[in-house]
Amino acid sequence: EPEVTQTPSHQVTQMGQEVILRCVPISNHLYFYWYRQILGQKVEFLVSFYNNEISEKSEIFDDQFSVERPDGSNFTLKIRSTKLEDSAMYFCASIRDRNPTYQETQYFGPGTRLLVL
Amino acid sequence: ELKVEQNPLFLSMQEGKNYTIYCNYSTTSDRLYWYRQDPGKSLESLFVLLSNGAVKQEGRLMASLDTKARLSTLHITAAVHDLSATYFCAVDIQGGSEKLVFGKGTKLTVNP
């Protein structure tokens, strides 16, 4: 069964460093998302991406964050200058179609656990 | 701002018992999702509920949606240990899965 993959599974970085989290969505999916989950808390939406541009972003997704789809398969989240509070699990998700009548669901990747020291 | 409230946040139950998890949301939505998360793992889709009165069942889990009451329930029947996990409801307020707003999750522990 197709699945969303993410690399790395864990990343430890120093405060102020740049990190790039990578995702490979399911191949025929068109809509892509990043969410984060701070340890023990709920999952929070960061950004959605369609047709090579951001569709919507949350207040969390400030100028330190950017997303890119550099080729036909990868979808990346970059944090330019990490802060301690960026420590979280970051999930990539994708969905094939957003037609409201479809029984579609967002498929989540396994996540990247980011620790900022 | 959309709020999604789940209760209870923690649930400890014995095997064989029944229980219901509730998910209330504050804004009109016709699409609600239930996900399961095991510790340190990703989110696994359980149910997609698309319309008022929708009811879906998979094994010992049954989910329903009442859009007028802005309420979804996840009912557990004859719980088994394997159901121990955190269950999240998520609401899509824009009808096209633009973004999901999650509840805080219900951590379910099923004791032998």
Side-chain angles (χ1 to χ4, degrees):
Chain A
E1 185 177 324
E3 57 183 20
V4 178
T5 59
Q6 289 185 242
T7 54
S9 58
H10 294 79
Q11 173 101 41
V12 181
T13 189
Q14 296 290 325
M15 193 169 56
Q17 295 295 304
E18 174 183 287
V19 294
I20 297 176
L21 310 183
R22 291 181 168 79
C23 168
V24 179
I26 295 173
S27 63
N28 64 344
H29 285 193
L30 301 176
Y31 301 85
F32 315 116
Y33 308 84
W34 283 101
Y35 292 84
R36 80 171 185 190
Q37 185 181 32
I38 295 171
L39 187 64
Q41 299 189 24
K42 67 178 181 180
V43 178
E44 299 174 291
F45 168 80
L46 292 177
V47 66
S48 58
F49 192 86
Y50 169 70
N51 200 25
N52 279 321
E53 57 184 31
I54 291 174
S55 311
E56 186 171 353
K57 57 184 180 180
S58 72
E59 291 177 354
I60 303 167
F61 194 88
D62 62 21
D63 291 344
Q64 294 300 313
F65 291 87
S66 63
V67 289
E68 196 177 37
R69 188 156 160 83
D71 52 45
S73 59
N74 290 285
F75 178 50
T76 62
L77 174 69
K78 182 193 290 186
I79 310 175
R80 288 189 186 80
S81 177
T82 51
K83 302 188 278 282
L84 296 176
E85 54 265 36
D86 293 328
S87 295
M89 180 76 98
Y90 288 80
F91 292 107
C92 173
S94 69
I95 190 168
R96 183 175 64 91
D97 196 305
R98 284 175 42 206
N99 187 317
T101 62
Y102 287 1
Q103 296 267 351
E104 296 281 345
T105 186
Q106 291 185 21
Y107 290 88
F108 283 75
T112 294
R113 186 169 293 284
L114 176 66
L115 178 60
V116 182
L117 302 176
Chain B
E1 181 192 339
L2 171 64
K3 291 188 178 169
V4 181
E5 309 244 351
Q6 279 182 247
N7 71 85
L9 297 182
F10 298 91
L11 176 56
S12 180
M13 56 192 296
Q14 293 214 303
E15 281 191 327
K17 298 292 187 183
N18 306 331
Y19 209 84
T20 300
I21 299 170
Y22 297 88
C23 175
N24 288 93
Y25 53 97
S26 60
T27 302
T28 301
S29 173
D30 290 330
R31 183 179 286 230
L32 188 138
Y33 303 81
W34 284 95
Y35 286 90
R36 168 183 171 145
Q37 186 181 39
D38 291 295
K41 304 291 186 180
S42 187
L43 295 151
E44 175 192 352
S45 175
L46 295 174
F47 300 108
V48 181
L49 301 169
L50 288 185
S51 60
N52 188 43
V55 177
K56 290 197 174 175
Q57 182 160 6
E58 181 74 35
R60 300 174 189 274
L61 301 177
M62 183 172 72
S64 66
L65 178 63
D66 181 343
T67 57
K68 292 177 183 174
R70 298 179 186 168
L71 170 69
S72 180
T73 61
L74 181 67
H75 186 72
I76 303 152
T77 302
V80 293
H81 180 69
D82 285 352
L83 289 179
S84 298
T86 298
Y87 293 85
F88 291 94
C89 65
V91 177
D92 165 20
I93 61 171
Q94 292 172 258
S97 195
E98 182 58 58
K99 72 175 188 184
L100 298 181
V101 179
F102 283 80
K104 289 186 177 180
T106 296
K107 185 172 182 180
L108 171 66
T109 304
V110 182
N111 303 304

